[in-house]
Amino acid sequence: TKGKLIMKLSEEVKRKIKEEYDEWVNIQYGSNTKEERQKLGQFFTPPELTIKMIEQFSDLEGNILDPTVGCGGLLAACIIAGADPKKCYGIELDPSIAKLCRKRLSKLNVPESNIKVGNALDSESYRF
C-alpha cells in the first residue's frame, strides 16, 4: 500500500513461526473431526497465512488483541516476530481451547490472565 510501512519478516523468523506451529498442530485439533470443528467454528490459521497477516502490520509495538484467539497461533507468531508477550491478549469462546491456548502461550511468557474465555461479540469479554 502506498505510503504505508509494511513489515518484512526474515526467513529465520518465518522458520521459527512454522516450527512453533508444528509443535502444536496435532494438539490443537485433538480428537475432533473436521465436522466437529466446523460445528464449533474452529479453524486454526496455518503459519503461512499468519505470516502474511503479520507482514501487513506496520509494527508489533503496543497491545495486540486476537478476539478469536483459538489456540493462539497469531499471538505466538507475533511474539516470535518481536511483540511483547505481556501486551498480547486473546478471547476464546471454547474453554478447552482457551486452556490449550494459555498452555501454548505460557511457553512464550504470555500471562495466563491475558487469555480470557468469552464471546468476541460481547463487550464484557474485552475487559482484561
Side-chain angles (χ1 to χ4, degrees):
T1 308
K2 190 175 183 177
K4 184 177 178 184
L5 296 175
I6 302 294
M7 290 185 60
K8 182 67 178 152
L9 300 179
S10 70
E11 291 305 313
E12 179 182 353
V13 168
K14 290 178 185 180
R15 179 184 52 76
K16 288 180 179 179
I17 289 170
K18 289 175 183 177
E19 286 174 356
E20 194 279 340
Y21 176 86
D22 288 344
E23 273 184 57
W24 290 92
V25 68
N26 291 327
I27 297 168
Q28 69 189 10
Y29 285 119
S31 61
N32 291 343
T33 66
K34 182 178 180 181
E35 291 75 24
E36 290 170 326
R37 292 192 319 271
Q38 286 176 336
K39 280 184 186 178
L40 294 170
Q42 295 175 335
F43 301 94
F44 302 110
T45 309
E48 295 80 11
L49 182 55
T50 301
I51 289 165
K52 286 181 181 184
M53 291 166 61
I54 293 171
E55 287 187 328
Q56 296 303 305
F57 298 166
S58 59
D59 63 52
L60 292 170
E61 296 180 21
N63 293 333
I64 298 173
L65 169 66
D66 186 342
T68 56
V69 73
C71 284
L74 177 60
L75 293 181
C78 286
I79 293 163
I80 292 167
D84 181 348
K86 291 173 181 54
K87 293 182 177 181
C88 291
Y89 300 87
I91 301 168
E92 173 53 40
L93 187 60
D94 182 333
S96 63
I97 298 295
K99 181 179 178 181
L100 182 59
C101 179
R102 286 186 194 106
K103 182 177 179 181
R104 178 183 189 175
L105 295 180
S106 72
K107 293 183 176 208
L108 297 170
N109 300 313
V110 173
E112 190 173 303
S113 61
N114 285 15
I115 307 301
K116 290 181 63 174
V117 174
N119 185 332
L121 300 176
D122 180 359
S123 62
E124 293 296 313
S125 295
Y126 292 85
R127 295 183 187 201
F128 287 91

